[in-house]
Amino acid sequence: MWHKFMLVVAVYYIVMIPVRIAFQPWESMVDARALATDLSFDILTILNFFIRANTFYTNSKAVIVTSRAKILRRLNISHFLAALPIDWAAHFCGASMNICVWLRVLKLYMAFRVIHNVRSRSRGSKS
């Protein structure tokens, strides 16, 4: 279920990041509409990273892996980069809106990775 929920977050990023770069619908990162959407999805992205970093997996030998180091090695760097609030940090350090919006592009790495994982799972279940 969490994967489908993160798919919604990924689609939001894939649609809204280019829209924000092209049209800049909000005048500030702290505009009420931006906070209502971007901040909530950013919090979900951070949660996703922590959930993935704390979830065991089964290796190719059907052994459950619970070692934190092995789980983190298996975790894709795109989830870590997307979870970093670099755009918000830049905003609070005084960066322009253009720079802050472009820093949100890092979130697209996670979005494409989530879509790839969902597609891989759907192909695996059909076989």
Side-chain angles (χ1 to χ4, degrees), residues 3-63:
H3 296 289
K4 291 180 182 178
F5 192 64
M6 287 311 297
L7 182 62
V8 172
V9 173
V11 170
Y12 172 79
Y13 283 145
I14 289 171
V15 171
M16 284 306 295
I17 290 174
V19 166
R20 291 207 47 196
I21 289 171
F23 303 110
Q24 293 189 1
W26 300 293
E27 294 186 21
S28 170
M29 291 281 289
V30 293
D31 184 279
R33 294 168 292 178
L35 286 175
T37 55
D38 289 348
L39 188 59
S40 59
F41 283 109
D42 290 352
I43 290 170
L44 290 172
T45 301
I46 293 168
L47 271 172
N48 181 51
F49 173 75
F50 285 112
I51 287 171
R52 291 180 61 87
N54 290 297
T55 304
F56 69 88
Y57 68 95
T58 307
N59 66 12
S60 60
K61 296 178 184 177
V63 176

Side-chain angles (χ1 to χ4, degrees), residues 13-123:
Y13 283 145
I14 289 171
V15 171
M16 284 306 295
I17 290 174
V19 166
R20 291 207 47 196
I21 289 171
F23 303 110
Q24 293 189 1
W26 300 293
E27 294 186 21
S28 170
M29 291 281 289
V30 293
D31 184 279
R33 294 168 292 178
L35 286 175
T37 55
D38 289 348
L39 188 59
S40 59
F41 283 109
D42 290 352
I43 290 170
L44 290 172
T45 301
I46 293 168
L47 271 172
N48 181 51
F49 173 75
F50 285 112
I51 287 171
R52 291 180 61 87
N54 290 297
T55 304
F56 69 88
Y57 68 95
T58 307
N59 66 12
S60 60
K61 296 178 184 177
V63 176
I64 295 175
V65 178
T66 59
S67 166
R68 175 77 46 147
K70 289 180 181 179
I71 292 170
L72 290 175
R73 266 188 259 133
R74 186 172 183 258
L75 190 62
N76 194 301
I77 190 72
S78 63
H79 293 280
F80 175 72
L81 290 174
L84 292 175
I86 297 172
D87 51 335
W88 292 101
H91 170 73
F92 290 117
C93 288
S96 72
M97 182 67 170
N98 285 336
I99 292 171
C100 295
V101 169
W102 276 99
L103 286 172
R104 293 189 66 75
V105 169
L106 291 172
K107 299 192 183 309
L108 288 176
Y109 289 123
M110 183 275 310
F112 288 121
R113 191 74 196 154
V114 166
I115 289 174
H116 173 75
N117 289 345
V118 169
R119 290 181 73 196
S120 297
R121 285 174 184 255
S122 67
R123 284 187 200 138

